Amino acid sequence: MSILSGIIPPVLTPFHADGSLDLESLDTLVEHLVSGGVHGLFVLGSSGQVAYLTDEERDTVVQRVIAKADDRVPVVVGTADLTARRILAHARRAQAQGAAAIVVTAPLYALNNAAEIADHFRIIAAGVDIPLIAYDVPVRGPAKLGRDMLVQLGREGVIAGVKDSSGDDVAFRRLVDANRAAGSPLSISTGHEVMCDGMLLVGAEGCVPGLANVDPAGYVRLHDAAQRGDWEAARDEQDRINRLFEIAFVPQGRSGDAGGIGAFKAACAALGVIASGTMPAPIEALSGEEVAGVEAIVREVGLL
Amino acid sequence: MSILSGIIPPVLTPFHADGSLDLESLDTLVEHLVSGGVHGLFVLGSSGQVAYLTDEERDTVVQRVIAKADDRVPVVVGTADLTARRILAHARRAQAQGAAAIVVTAPLYALNNAAEIADHFRIIAAGVDIPLIAYDVPVRGPAKLGRDMLVQLGREGVIAGVKDSSGDDVAFRRLVDANRAAGSPLSISTGHEVMCDGMLLVGAEGCVPGLANVDPAGYVRLHDAAQRGDWEAARDEQDRINRLFEIAFVPQGRSGDAGGIGAFKAACAALGVIASGTMPAPIEALSGEEVAGVEAIVREVGLL
Amino acid sequence: MSILSGIIPPVLTPFHADGSLDLESLDTLVEHLVSGGVHGLFVLGSSGQVAYLTDEERDTVVQRVIAKADDRVPVVVGTADLTARRILAHARRAQAQGAAAIVVTAPLYALNNAAEIADHFRIIAAGVDIPLIAYDVPVRGPAKLGRDMLVQLGREGVIAGVKDSSGDDVAFRRLVDANRAAGSPLSISTGHEVMCDGMLLVGAEGCVPGLANVDPAGYVRLHDAAQRGDWEAARDEQDRINRLFEIAFVPQGRSGDAGGIGAFKAACAALGVIASGTMPAPIEALSGEEVAGVEAIVREVGLL
Amino acid sequence: MSILSGIIPPVLTPFHADGSLDLESLDTLVEHLVSGGVHGLFVLGSSGQVAYLTDEERDTVVQRVIAKADDRVPVVVGTADLTARRILAHARRAQAQGAAAIVVTAPLYALNNAAEIADHFRIIAAGVDIPLIAYDVPVRGPAKLGRDMLVQLGREGVIAGVKDSSGDDVAFRRLVDANRAAGSPLSISTGHEVMCDGMLLVGAEGCVPGLANVDPAGYVRLHDAAQRGDWEAARDEQDRINRLFEIAFVPQGRSGDAGGIGAFKAACAALGVIASGTMPAPIEALSGEEVAGVEAIVREVGLL
């Protein structure tokens, strides 16, 4: 089975009220996910609020999740930083801790073209011994990763997969098609919560939905239905999940890093999976009214 | 059956070498589409190069297509212009000619907010007696149409459907979900060529793919498979169609209005459906080399 | 003196409460501007809400303004439409009515590349006998006009000037420099209200500020200071004008077409220059509170 | 004199062919700048290719430049990283090394709103004892810094200045005006090479042009002319400098980080100020043909 097959939640990072990591909550969250049947864990992603963590905190999170996962599922690790040599330092620490793969974005702050971005991935791949997954998340950086570049890097063995959070379904489908035509060197997953059914139908091997922190079992059922070719059951499960996803729209007028992740944390807290919905400074946790709105939806779909 | 159900190609507008409309080719194209089994025709869309036509030419195209369709399928008509009162003039002429519905975008050149855009649609709907379909095509104008506004306009009876060419699959799915929750006042179709299978699975009623000018029967087979719940057959047909869609990427370094539409025209010309791939000034038709590249793909997928 | 020299206000279009043109107010506005010393008038621009007018209304506005201007200043006319042949129809009507020049944007709705956009201007220029001014307003259309294309079109005699509302000062300066190196075929003006001093210093020949509807004499004083090389006097006048420009930010949460133009109209109404601040549907006029805020600033800077 | 007064070049970072820092060239570059009369030095900016440096290399550069500057001019230090606590670590190291101020962007990769971004700056300011300069460079990150937020942070003493590389002249002028109205808590500089004359006229206190690495004395003459109110001399000097700036457009089809900085390095190498135009991986240095094009312009304007 390839590295991005199945449901691989981007694990939330819980915090104490004083801003320190809440590692006990991280343990219970990991247990919730693994016992929910997920196929892997992705730590230090956008949903894991990697941008707000120091290097020491990153290492602590990786170590804790790998220990708790205890070889039951693979753990892939995000490495967000500005450019290749800086990312490589994170990648090597992740490898040393037992990461199954690393997840790497295009350069940040830097303004590179396609050839330079391809070399960026090559530099990093040459410096580690674990698979590299390209993370296409243009909303957070200057560059959409091109289809031909990704397939070429797959052919070269530089990258083993693509986590697509580009929100561009035409590009996604064309990537799936080109990858197949090239002999499928890449494992392709979608990062969007609400279209896993459609994307699995058309060729995604896996999904990396932040909402799976709240309802891992639902996503696993969706994936199982897709695996057995029961696409209407997959769609019905997705439709149910999408009603739950409305929690992400309860917070209004919030930043991109505050609303959705804040709602996922609030829902996990309501379910007792983590202790609180605390957010890292300068982001504020949801208000009491927002939390109540989130809980109402969680209850409405039957999770609470 | 609702207004956007099934396969509704955006009909290409053929030209003679001197820039005048090639109405004989328009006739053969319409016959090709109707005999291919399509469920409706959309004239004066982006693929129909509406922006390049004078009002007189628009009227000629509508009249000719409606005459040729001869009540076998409904004909919906685009109305591209800057603002409501200008669009209304086009809409009334289309209605008088027998259009089954009109297709309307957000204002162009104008810079309006959501409330103003909603009123824009209300003004137009109040002035005609045929259904109005909102056309969400942010790449050509300043505004993405909001989900809540669209559903609200559906509830009010202002719009009967949405043609989504936004390329935003998350927004598409959320629109489908919200429409269903509201009692399905809207008929929703996708304007993208390569994801009809996935979008039909998740709730689209129809597809408006420019590529259906080339292969209407293929899209109809895809739609039939979806109708009978055979999603894997739908996907396989889509995969085949997607190999054909590579014609749109043969022209390199062309403008958004030159490459894809130029390739669709070149392919139709290769199939004998229209007389030539002539484009309206200032756009140049594909080069001989590009045409050869298009034809090679058309042949490769077995259409030629 | 070249076509864009000096202060050339984009003339507001006043409306009656029933949505019809208020031509008496248009007369008093034109008189206010000409007696304020402006060097030309630009009708049917963005500030003139051209997008919201029918062709008949456009013609009425042009005719009225040209009659009222009565050869005291030249009148240049906007031609907003989708593509070249449609624009040409407007341009010919404007020429027939006595326009001194026409103002033309890149194609709208269409997706053209630089070569096609250059041909777009060539097609229009070939069809009229009055000068053509290119209008660079990327916020309203898909394309920023490239420096080299503009200078090339100037060299060819296709365009006589550029009205720059791109908000890109680096591109503006580089255009000024390249135009001078080419022998200054183009007359270049800035469309921004707040930087006329700086832009005149660096090589603009004129300014087309919407705010000059409110305070034409202030802009003329600024221009006169610049003409005599008293840049600090120009800057002080600009600083005073910029305090007045804060009226554009009194309306909050409004659309791009509602706030600034709404404030200019409210200020003109407060000064008795036009009868009311009525806006064309679907835009609402400013609220009473907003009008009061506008008037307070107009009073504060001593115009009222 | 405030922290951003005058000409403050963003110092290039020279490399050896093996990718290591070329500190001897850094010394000669600093000497070239200080002896050219500049008023300060900005290290670890975008032109200094900060994104491509490890933390150790950053420290080495800061130490070397501060040592070489030897209190003749203040040295301000960039701190590019993802979020506040990560930036603070860089800021503290810079302070310990003798930085006169730190330069801080909005968060990267993170998706924050205005309130969160303001708190981002507050967190960093609270952790250091040297002034903080906000760096507005939206092309490299998700956020344009708002005028009201900047002035408010100035009033609070959180930030001492703004380096504006937004390319938005209207926003720049409105910031200058609002800052003056607030009692001028901020020192405001422009980061653009080609409009220093205009921006000094309208209220900038300084300029941070990458091109000043090549011609520091030219920018100092421009600044001196502006200081004595000779705006036409300032403009003429700027016009001359702008002919030199054409070196940035010699490389065609390069990335944003390759063309301009590559040309600045090639020009400095041609002048003997640094040993070579080497770029950090994955960026390639200019080709021989491009270098020749750069040198031709440097010669044409009389620097060589």
Side-chain angles (χ1 to χ4, degrees), chain B residues 9-80:
Chain B
V11 183
L12 298 173
T13 303
F15 293 92
H16 288 124
D18 67 357
S20 63
L21 295 171
D22 177 355
L23 298 172
E24 293 71 27
S25 285
L26 186 58
D27 282 346
T28 52
L29 175 57
V30 167
E31 194 56 40
H32 170 66
L33 297 174
V34 174
S35 67
V38 304
H39 306 88
L41 298 170
F42 169 36
V43 294
L44 303 183
S46 310
S47 297
Q49 302 179 307
V50 61
Y52 301 90
L53 302 181
T54 64
D55 287 0
E56 295 68 30
E57 289 167 338
R58 291 187 187 199
D59 291 349
T60 301
V61 167
V62 171
Q63 187 175 34
R64 190 80 172 210
V65 171
I66 287 177
K68 185 71 184 176
D70 196 22
D71 285 330
R72 293 178 290 175
V73 295
V75 176
V76 301
V77 177
T79 60

Side-chain angles (χ1 to χ4, degrees), chain A residues 51 57 83 85 109 116 255, chain D residues 51 57 83 85 116 140 255:
Chain A
E57 289 166 339
T83 56
R85 290 190 302 144
Y109 192 80
E116 290 162 357
S255 70
Chain D
E57 289 167 338
T83 55
R85 289 191 301 144
E116 289 162 358
R140 292 181 182 275
S255 70

Side-chain angles (χ1 to χ4, degrees), chain D residues 5 23 33 38 48 52 66 80 104 119 125 129-130 136 150 159 172 183 196 200 219-220 230 239 272 274 279 284 289:
Chain D
S5 290
L23 298 172
L33 298 173
V38 304
Y52 301 90
I66 287 177
V104 176
D119 281 343
D129 300 318
I130 52 177
D136 193 11
L150 291 170
I159 64 174
F172 184 86
C196 295
L200 289 169
Y219 276 102
V220 169
D230 188 348
D239 283 343
I274 63 176
M279 302 286 274
E284 293 187 18
E289 193 178 358

Side-chain angles (χ1 to χ4, degrees), chain D residues 95-212:
Chain D
Q95 174 177 326
Q97 291 182 306
I102 51 165
V103 177
V104 176
T105 71
L108 303 171
Y109 193 79
L111 298 174
N112 296 128
N113 62 18
E116 289 162 358
I117 293 171
D119 281 343
H120 162 88
F121 285 110
R122 290 186 186 107
I123 292 167
I124 298 165
V128 288
D129 300 318
I130 52 177
L132 190 158
I133 297 161
Y135 184 10
D136 193 11
V137 61
V139 73
R140 292 181 182 275
K144 169 96 182 76
L145 301 178
R147 179 188 75 147
D148 293 346
M149 180 188 78
L150 291 170
V151 173
Q152 173 60 25
L153 292 176
R155 273 195 182 114
E156 292 177 21
V158 168
I159 64 174
V162 176
K163 165 166 159 36
D164 183 289
S165 295
S166 71
D168 179 339
D169 58 319
V170 172
F172 184 86
R173 181 59 168 272
R174 294 190 68 236
L175 174 63
V176 165
D177 292 343
N179 183 51
R180 186 188 305 118
S184 298
L186 299 172
S187 175
I188 300 172
S189 73
T190 177
H192 287 303
E193 276 81 4
V194 298
M195 278 289 286
C196 295
D197 52 351
M199 294 313 186
L200 289 169
L201 172 66
V202 307
E205 289 192 50
C207 307
V208 188
L211 184 63

Side-chain angles (χ1 to χ4, degrees), chain B residues 9 23 40 47 50 86 89 96-97 131 142 156 164 169 171 186 192 209 253 264 288:
Chain B
L23 298 172
S47 297
V50 61
R86 297 181 68 85
Q97 291 181 305
E156 293 178 19
D164 183 288
D169 59 318
L186 300 172
H192 286 303
F264 298 161

